Amino acid sequence: MVTRYYRELLNFLSRAVNNREAAADLAQESYARVLAMQQDGVTIAEPRALLYRTARNLMIDQHRRDTVRGVSAEPDHHADDFEVLDTLAAPAALEPETAAMSAQGVQAMLAVIGELPLRCREAFILHKFDGLSQAAVAQQMGISVTMVERHIKHAMQACRRCAESPPHE
């Protein structure tokens, strides 16, 4: 679990808190809490979702502590960051039907991403999941920034179509 989600979670938290060291601390604490739950015998069906939910809660707690102490947040740190975290976190209601629908949606989205042409999928993953800039993706893949933009646009359109399509029963 650590190697599978760590870099993704760290990159996401770095963008959310705008501080790589604070993000590393949040990611480490999130993993520690989830691993402690596993060691206590809790079965975790969606470890990625639980990691994001834990990280979100830790960010909220930190924000509350900072507010009580009178420490102002970074200028780029807005409440919108928490809304973004919600989109990748565990379902609000962890009831079986909601969790199943969420898992189906994630599986459908992963299938769409998996069906993208190889170079398109690579550019999309490097940009959206690994957090690389379009210029960095272009350099790593040996293609132009314009081509990276096209790949990302194509992938985003496919993901939007998937998200907008009615669920299959």
Side-chain angles (χ1 to χ4, degrees):
M1 178 179 71
V2 173
T3 57
R4 186 170 185 185
Y5 303 115
Y6 182 77
R7 187 170 60 164
E8 173 190 342
L9 182 65
L10 180 61
N11 287 334
F12 181 77
L13 288 168
S14 292
R15 288 189 303 272
V17 299
N18 202 23
N19 179 330
R20 191 80 173 173
E21 292 170 4
D25 290 343
L26 287 168
Q28 181 177 352
E29 182 63 24
S30 297
Y31 269 95
R33 290 185 183 197
V34 171
L35 291 172
M37 289 175 67
Q38 282 182 325
Q39 289 175 347
D40 288 343
V42 176
T43 302
I44 300 172
E46 298 286 336
R48 180 179 179 268
L50 183 58
L51 280 168
Y52 275 85
R53 175 61 63 183
T54 302
R56 176 187 182 275
N57 290 342
L58 288 169
M59 286 178 52
I60 291 170
D61 290 346
Q62 183 62 48
H63 180 72
R64 287 179 182 151
R65 281 192 300 273
D66 289 348
T67 301
V68 168
R69 291 185 200 138
V71 175
S72 64
E74 294 292 320
D76 292 338
H77 187 66
H78 301 290
D80 292 343
D81 294 339
F82 299 121
E83 291 172 19
V84 170
L85 278 170
D86 274 336
T87 65
L88 292 172
L94 291 176
E95 298 187 17
E97 185 178 321
T98 304
M101 288 173 47
S102 176
Q104 288 171 352
V106 168
Q107 290 304 318
M109 192 67 70
L110 290 174
V112 166
I113 293 168
E115 292 170 2
L116 292 170
L118 179 62
R119 300 291 278 172
C120 179
R121 182 174 60 233
E122 182 181 2
F124 180 72
I125 289 171
L126 287 171
H127 180 66
K128 290 294 184 183
F129 294 105
D130 291 349
L132 297 180
S133 68
Q134 291 180 358
V137 172
Q139 182 178 8
Q140 183 167 332
M141 293 180 65
I143 59 177
S144 70
V145 173
T146 302
M147 196 66 217
V148 170
E149 291 169 354
R150 288 182 189 160
H151 284 319
I152 293 169
K153 181 180 178 183
H154 176 74
M156 291 298 294
Q157 289 170 340
C159 289
R160 279 191 200 99
R161 283 191 302 272
C162 176
E164 292 169 358
S165 68
H168 300 285
E169 293 187 28

